Amino acid sequence: MTTGARSRAVGTPVARVEGHAKVTGTARYAYEQPAGAGPPLYAHPVLSTVPHGRVRALETMAARTLDGVVTVLTPDNAGQLDDLRGAQDGELAVLQSNEVAFRGQFIAVVVAESPEAAQQAAGLVEADYDELPHHTELRGDSGDLYTPERVNPAFAPDTVEGDVDGALDSAEHMVDVTYLTPMEHNNPMEPHAAVALWEAEGGPADRPIPAGSDAERPSSDGVATVRLTLYASTQGAHTVRSTLAPLFGLRKEEMRVVSPHVGGGFGSKGMPHAHDVLAVLCARAVPGRAVKLALTRQQTFSLAGHRTPTLQRLRLAADSTGRMAAVAHEVTEHTSTVKEFAEQTACGTRMMYAAPNRRTAHRLAALNVPVPSWMRAPGEAPGIFALETAMDELASACELDPIELRLRNDPPLDPESGKPWSGRRLVECLRQGARRFGWQEGPPGSRRRREGDQLVGMGVAASTYPCYTSPGSRALVRHDGTEHYTVRIGAADIGTGTWTTLTQIAADALDRPVEAVTVEIGDTDLPHATVAGGSSGMASWGPTIVATARRFRTEHGQQPAAGAVMTGELPDNPDAEQFALHSFGAQFAEVRVDVDTGEVRVTRMLGVFSAGRIINPRTARSQFIGGMTMGLSMALHEHGVLDHRTGHVVNHDLASYHIAAHADIADVEAEWLEETDPHANTMGSRGIGEIGIVGAPAAVVNAVYDATGIRGRSLPLTPDKLVR
Amino acid sequence: MIPFDYQRAAAPADAVAAVAGRPGAAFLGGGTNLVDHMKLGVAGPDLVVDVSELPLNHVLETDTGALRIGATVRNSDLAAHPLVRRRYPALCRALLSGASGQLRNAATTAGNLLQRTRCPYFQDTSTPCNKREPGTGCSAIGGHTREQAILGASAHCIAVHPSDMAVAMLALDASVGVLGPYGERTLPLDALHRLPGDAPEQDTVLRHGELITDVELPARRFAARSTYRKVRDRASYAFALVSVAAALDLDDGVVRDARVALGGVAHAPWRATRAEEVLRGAVASEGTFRQAADAELTAARPYGGNAYKVPMVRNTLVAVLRGLTAERPDRPYPGWHGPGLEEESG
């Protein structure tokens, strides 16, 4: 595949097209959307306070009789959902039974005329439980660990290549260490919110709560009797619709999902969660009136997905010159009992270094915990943390500079597939970063210096993320007249810059200035687009637009009639089968550790990335440094503390679940290699949403070792772990 | 949120009468803590009496040379006050290390003293808590103890007081003026906050309806050589894991008088009297400082996850004392990089 679109807008720092609307408060987020004729109603959920059991009785009378309360939904009256895809998606089986699988699960919801009344009434609902024994603690020696059939999204759980044990036994240098990462929570700034409006034609009672299957419903008469509108905060409007419509027995034409602006997702809005279902259940109970639901920050800790804690055993073997003979990466992590999510933690290790003998394995414990899900760079973020920290430990064992160790083990072909790389430029990233950062060569610990009561050190780590493309996106190009074009695609902008970057791509593909192109996204009334996940958004939507614009020109020429329209879809990329498509990066950190208190401050970070062509350096820089900042938080701050007696995350707010504050971020810089990946897609670019977080935690933790001689093997590296 | 009545008081006596007259009434200052509690269901006052606009927004020098700080003075205003910056560096640093800029703009002096613990179990109505609901038990014991007390705790409560400001004021011999239904009284600050004992629901000795009207900092020789050091998980907007306020009156290398207070270690801001005893009259040296810290920490009783606080307090206290006795007492310790006074020292 070759680069097609003539580059004019692409590669320039175009300011966000929706920026003015956002900073002036006129860009509407989900909860702010007006819907329905009258004033909206407000939903406030009731959450289980036990981690496992069954609701024996729900006392709702006090709530029902409170002023302003319209209804209280429980499993007795919420109405059935259709097609729960067997037991696959128990997360979405909201109010379908009295079973409690984790603490913080929906057991009821109040709908009221005001949010205050809804909240107060929710507090008046009393539940009695038959409790069952619960297990929330992830343990490596637990007897009921199992091997999942696949890990996210569809990888084999285990791989073996060569004689790993033999290589480990006979190696000159060996590292055998276990790393722990805690439960982590996405916490986008905009809460998980939805506004749902259920309208039934021919009167509100025309369509009673459906109980039957889709087959019983009229589907070919062309008469839509229900119109469900859901304003959602999501990374994929079409995904929400395709998941939820069948649950409610609706044909897709009967449901519209609107999501023009999203205040961050980090994966937690990548697929619909239970609150989306709950909002629609409420709306179905009060047809004709919009129902607003926003999870509180506390509620998101059990209802919006999270990153599993991990136990990771890493064994690396090398010869006397530091050439790796073996790598083994064995992961233990958790999932819920209602839905399996198996984070692909060890997958990055399969392709990263040239060790001929490799083994990876994933084991799961199904616990009474909330449903884990995607969180920025699922798999790579925790897995590469462990691998890259282990590499630093191997560099210590070999008494080698950690960059030199990586140079000696850079594989010419993808070790996993044997295919050539579409562009593995990790070595250049490391070298350029070392130069720019002022890296002093030497093994870990050799850069240590003391300034007053602080120990200063530097760390480095490699970074990688696959280049995914999701099939199925479609776009529409329309000539509005007077040389202005509208491009429609149901893509998502979760703060990443999609509104702007797709405008740039469309402008170049149509050979028009950006001012002459209006892009419309975030609505299922627009052509189908895949989810903003796996860093695949731009790499999927962009080529779809390029292909559609080409078809438009082929059909309508350079002087199209006003109103001329063309649709198109994501073309196949034959190169994807021929090449190993991955992005790479080198991350550097300098830390200062207080000798008295163990406080760590990161004074400098630098990331150098190879991610193909950068569409917009301004929004790209934000993505990179945002990811690096999140990686710093993962290294030093983030820790969801699960109380194993109660099964809840104790520190479920942003005062106690720490992420880096502004004062923690001193000097974070990102740069990238000027390049085009001719095999990735027609734009030559790979996604960048996730690679910034990958490797950053290891760089920080390795810098702490360089400064202090203390190996941080359990994240986060808070002062209590370093004070002596 | 439960519906409640709201009134704004015009004079302190009106506020006192309004709250004293209703058992479920509460004073509202900056609202940075009470409003959170109302949202979380931790507090449910049926009457909120807004005292934030009372005419208590003064910072005055009295004729004895003391500093009198009105109850409604905002934390950021107090931190920026020239007399505070010049005479009470510990207080200035403590204020600036608290919360965030926005919260400091809202939070009041009296409200800061009366803020309640951030123990996560106290703030979560779905978990038992003796402080929130007496007799239900302490969830922190046997649970998440990382932030909890190592000194003066009881079998009923191991929570810590969250204030930075109060710790510095304690080391500066502050006293508190109180107006109640039966008149005025003055309390030394170290008599205001209680240890939990068997009544952790009572944070202070104040009775219902009593209103703090001001805080007084006396003129003391040690105040100028004072500082505050907060150890925290992140550089801003985090409560102290531990903190140290210390003030020294030095005479030719000998400690003539000393005040040491600790934060993040107890149900109340903790006056380290045992450490002070060791320091008083001793030669200012590393050995003396270690001895002082060890004397105070002999009473420490960690609960598993907070054992790190013992070495952390020891190291921090020694470092603070070392800094205070160094050549440049305005730089509390070498490499100091927190909020401070370097850029404007007078």
Side-chain angles (χ1 to χ4, degrees):
Chain A
M1 188 159 277
T2 52
T3 306
R6 190 152 66 87
S7 177
R8 194 165 53 188
V10 166
T12 65
V14 175
R16 288 174 191 262
V17 299
E18 85 292 9
H20 186 268
K22 279 183 174 167
V23 299
T24 54
T26 56
R28 281 208 172 99
Y29 291 81
Y31 197 77
E32 303 165 321
Q33 297 280 2
L41 297 171
Y42 297 86
H44 197 94
V46 181
L47 273 50
S48 64
T49 56
V50 302
H52 190 202
R54 191 178 173 80
V55 179
R56 190 173 59 236
L58 266 179
E59 179 47 64
T60 61
M61 189 51 71
R64 286 178 195 283
T65 53
L66 192 76
D67 256 9
V69 171
V70 174
T71 187
V72 179
L73 298 185
T74 70
D76 290 340
N77 64 345
Q80 283 183 30
L81 295 169
D82 289 358
D83 181 21
L84 283 165
R85 299 178 180 184
Q88 290 287 308
D89 208 340
E91 182 188 7
L92 301 182
V94 176
L95 303 186
Q96 298 300 293
S97 82
N98 292 318
E99 308 295 329
V100 173
F102 59 91
R103 187 176 151 130
Q105 180 184 325
F106 292 137
I107 58 169
V109 63
V110 176
V111 180
E113 302 282 352
S114 72
E116 291 83 4
Q119 186 186 358
Q120 187 187 358
L124 297 173
V125 174
E126 290 193 6
D128 278 334
Y129 301 93
D130 291 322
E131 286 195 57
L132 293 169
H134 68 272
H135 303 283
T136 60
E137 188 173 7
L138 179 66
R139 297 171 57 98
D141 58 359
S142 171
D144 44 10
L145 297 175
Y146 72 98
T147 307
E149 274 184 33
R150 57 182 189 277
V151 295
N152 179 60
F155 295 115
D158 293 0
T159 57
V160 183
E161 188 81 25
D163 175 13
V164 176
D165 292 331
L168 289 168
D169 285 346
S170 59
E172 188 97 2
H173 299 293
M174 230 273 270
V175 164
D176 181 355
V177 283
T178 298
Y179 299 98
L180 312 178
T181 66
M183 202 169 169
E184 293 160 351
H185 304 265
N186 315 51
N187 275 314
M189 192 181 292
E190 184 203 10
H192 291 73
V195 179
L197 175 64
W198 183 286
E199 294 167 297
E201 275 180 19
D206 184 67
R207 180 88 169 267
I209 292 168
S213 72
D214 202 45
E216 294 170 55
R217 301 230 327 93
S219 56
S220 56
D221 57 6
V223 180
T225 53
V226 166
R227 180 81 187 152
L228 170 63
T229 309
L230 184 69
Y231 296 93
S233 182
T234 177
Q235 296 172 222
H238 283 90
T239 307
V240 173
R241 182 171 73 170
S242 62
T243 308
L244 295 196
L247 293 187
F248 289 90
L250 300 178
R251 286 170 285 122
K252 70 175 187 179
E253 311 85 80
E254 293 177 291
M255 182 173 181
R256 180 184 176 202
V257 178
V258 185
S259 182
H261 300 293
V262 180
F266 311 113
S268 71
K269 296 170 182 172
M271 54 184 93
H273 291 296
H275 69 280
D276 295 298
V277 177
L278 190 70
V280 177
L281 283 171
C282 292
R284 190 171 69 175
V286 290
R289 301 220 33 204
V291 178
K292 294 193 173 206
L293 170 68
L295 295 184
T296 65
R297 183 63 66 187
Q298 286 85 353
Q299 290 165 353
T300 65
F301 280 78
S302 65
L303 291 162
H306 63 269
R307 196 194 304 283
T308 174
T310 68
L311 312 173
Q312 303 183 52
R313 185 180 184 194
L314 264 292
R315 279 174 288 175
L316 308 182
D319 68 13
S320 58
T321 66
R323 282 185 216 289
M324 288 167 71
V327 53
H329 189 170
E330 289 141 345
V331 181
T332 309
E333 52 199 16
H334 81 200
T335 185
S336 72
T337 60
V338 295
K339 180 184 183 182
E340 182 183 281
F341 178 81
E343 181 138 346
Q344 69 274 36
T345 304
C347 287
T349 298
R350 295 173 184 171
M351 47 63 68
M352 202 58 187
Y353 295 112
N357 305 291
R358 300 182 305 279
R359 180 165 69 220
T360 63
H362 296 83
R363 297 293 175 270
L364 287 191
L367 303 175
N368 297 112
V369 294
V371 183
S373 186
W374 298 332
M375 179 164 167
R376 202 172 200 170
E380 275 75 10
I384 297 294
F385 156 69
L387 176 64
E388 288 300 297
T389 310
M391 286 295 282
D392 208 63
E393 302 210 33
L394 184 62
S396 286
C398 300
E399 294 178 47
L400 267 181
D401 179 273
I403 292 177
E404 180 59 30
L405 176 68
R406 289 172 175 87
L407 265 43
R408 291 184 188 181
N409 290 287
D410 197 60
L413 299 172
D414 175 13
E416 188 178 14
S417 66
K419 295 174 186 172
W421 303 103
S422 72
R424 177 172 170 128
R425 299 176 70 189
L426 173 60
V427 168
E428 285 169 78
C429 292
L430 287 163
R431 287 196 166 128
Q432 179 171 325
R435 207 163 49 241
R436 296 269 292 103
F437 200 68
W439 181 260
Q440 302 145 20
E441 275 182 41
S446 65
R447 283 159 288 276
R448 182 177 311 160
R449 65 178 199 273
R450 182 165 176 154
E451 288 184 13
D453 290 339
Q454 295 184 329
L455 294 165
V456 186
M458 287 185 194
V460 65
S463 175
T464 188
Y465 198 77
C467 174
Y468 292 121
T469 305
S470 308
S473 288
R474 303 180 59 79
L476 179 148
V477 171
R478 179 181 188 275
H479 178 227
D480 306 318
T482 63
E483 284 294 297
H484 188 277
Y485 293 82
T486 298
V487 176
R488 299 194 173 118
I489 182 166
D493 189 330
I494 57 175
T496 47
T498 306
W499 282 102
T500 312
T501 48
L502 289 188
T503 303
Q504 292 172 261
I505 290 165
D508 284 1
L510 290 162
D511 200 16
R512 298 289 300 140
V514 289
E515 298 77 25
V517 176
T518 300
V519 167
E520 296 176 3
I521 63 170
D523 194 329
T524 53
D525 280 357
L526 302 170
H528 183 271
T530 50
V531 70
S535 297
S536 72
M538 194 50 48
S540 304
W541 310 324
T544 304
I545 288 175
V546 172
T548 307
R550 283 185 189 156
R551 287 191 61 186
F552 182 93
R553 287 293 183 221
T554 305
E555 181 71 21
H556 300 294
Q558 295 298 323
Q559 272 102 37
V565 165
M566 181 55 64
T567 58
E569 61 189 18
L570 178 71
D572 284 341
N573 177 10
D575 284 10
E577 293 304 310
Q578 308 302 315
F579 294 90
L581 295 163
H582 296 265
S583 289
F584 293 91
Q587 303 249 15
F588 294 81
E590 179 189 80
V591 302
R592 307 175 86 89
V593 184
D594 189 291
V595 293
D596 295 312
T597 67
E599 290 166 294
V600 179
R601 298 290 180 255
V602 179
T603 41
R604 291 196 292 140
M605 284 182 96
L606 171 68
V608 180
F609 300 97
S610 162
R613 181 192 284 179
I614 296 302
I615 306 294
N616 182 326
R618 186 193 303 232
T619 55
R621 181 176 176 277
S622 289
Q623 290 259 63
F624 285 131
I625 68 172
M628 293 165 70
T629 302
M630 205 164 175
L632 183 158
S633 285
M634 182 174 163
L636 299 182
H637 303 302
E638 295 196 43
H639 184 193
V641 178
L642 202 52
D643 186 326
H644 298 300
R645 302 166 308 167
T646 59
H648 81 298
V649 176
V650 171
N651 55 338
H652 53 192
D653 58 46
L654 290 178
S656 46
Y657 181 91
H658 287 167
I659 58 171
H662 280 157
D664 293 294
I665 306 302
D667 178 1
V668 179
E669 281 187 55
E671 50 190 58
W672 46 88
L673 307 183
E674 292 297 335
E675 63 179 339
T676 294
D677 183 340
H679 308 298
N681 49 51
T682 43
M683 292 136 28
S685 69
R686 305 187 288 248
I688 57 169
E690 287 158 278
I691 193 167
I693 191 176
V694 182
V700 172
V701 166
N702 293 340
V704 170
Y705 174 80
D706 190 52
T708 65
I710 300 172
R711 279 288 174 199
R713 298 191 182 115
S714 172
L715 294 186
L717 266 190
T718 42
D720 51 307
K721 293 176 182 158
L722 294 168
V723 71
R724 291 291 186 269
Chain B
M1 184 177 289
I2 299 163
F4 58 90
D5 295 329
Y6 171 91
Q7 35 179 287
R8 174 167 283 180
D14 300 342
V16 169
V19 169
R22 290 236 317 239
F27 296 116
L28 175 75
T32 61
N33 196 211
L34 178 64
V35 174
D36 283 354
H37 287 165
M38 291 167 74
K39 289 179 181 171
L40 293 169
V42 171
D46 57 13
L47 168 64
V48 168
V49 177
D50 186 343
V51 294
S52 65
E53 300 295 313
L54 290 178
L56 298 170
N57 190 25
H58 51 265
V59 180
L60 303 169
E61 191 174 6
T62 69
D63 32 8
T64 61
L67 198 68
R68 185 172 294 158
I69 302 158
T72 65
V73 174
R74 307 285 166 167
N75 288 176
S76 31
D77 292 339
L78 186 57
H81 197 280
L83 288 177
V84 172
R85 295 176 72 91
R86 194 176 312 133
R87 295 185 189 170
Y88 304 99
L91 177 57
C92 180
R93 293 201 170 100
L95 284 161
L96 291 177
S97 70
S100 64
Q102 295 93 329
L103 287 165
R104 293 195 295 270
N105 288 342
T108 64
T109 304
N112 188 319
L113 289 175
L114 297 177
Q115 65 178 307
R116 310 204 68 188
T117 184
R118 295 321 196 275
C119 173
Y121 301 101
F122 171 72
Q123 298 189 113
D124 185 341
T125 57
S126 71
T127 54
C129 170
N130 286 325
K131 183 181 278 298
R132 195 182 63 248
E133 288 179 78
T136 56
C138 174
S139 296
I141 295 173
H144 180 53
T145 56
R146 181 173 180 266
E147 289 81 22
Q148 308 290 358
I150 55 169
L151 289 163
S154 76
H156 304 280
C157 181
I158 61 171
V160 297
H161 195 270
S163 175
D164 295 299
M165 182 195 80
V167 178
M169 285 181 168
L170 190 61
L172 296 168
D173 274 0
S175 61
V176 177
V178 175
L179 179 67
Y182 308 106
E184 293 179 38
R185 60 172 173 149
T186 301
L187 293 168
L189 181 58
D190 62 6
L192 175 68
H193 295 97
R194 295 179 68 260
L195 291 179
D198 58 3
E201 72 279 10
Q202 296 170 33
D203 291 356
T204 70
V205 300
L206 296 183
R207 294 180 288 264
H208 183 69
E210 283 195 311
L211 176 75
I212 292 178
T213 53
D214 51 37
V215 174
E216 194 166 299
L217 302 177
R220 294 278 194 268
R221 289 174 59 93
F222 52 70
R225 190 184 288 269
S226 71
T227 194
Y228 183 77
R229 175 77 199 275
K230 177 177 182 174
V231 183
R232 39 162 67 179
D233 281 327
R234 61 180 169 187
S236 166
Y237 191 49
F239 292 96
L241 295 171
V242 308
S243 70
V244 173
L248 292 180
D249 179 8
L250 277 184
D251 184 9
D252 198 22
V254 175
V255 178
R256 190 150 53 179
D257 202 359
R259 292 291 182 279
V260 178
L262 306 176
V265 296
H267 192 261
W270 185 264
R271 175 82 180 267
T273 50
R274 294 178 190 189
E276 290 175 9
E277 277 167 33
V278 171
L279 292 170
R280 217 166 276 129
V283 173
S285 69
E286 190 82 5
T288 303
F289 304 152
R290 284 176 202 276
Q291 216 186 320
D294 288 339
E296 195 61 43
L297 289 165
T298 52
R301 296 286 177 273
Y303 287 80
N306 64 0
Y308 71 92
K309 288 193 177 187
V310 175
M312 190 177 275
V313 168
R314 180 184 296 119
N315 295 353
T316 309
L317 178 52
V318 170
V320 162
L321 294 172
R322 192 191 303 132
L324 277 181
T325 53
E327 299 264 307
R328 289 277 310 275
D330 61 316
R331 297 182 65 83
Y333 48 92
W336 191 77
H337 57 287
L341 314 173
E342 282 81 353
E343 67 280 13
E344 316 167 52
S345 53

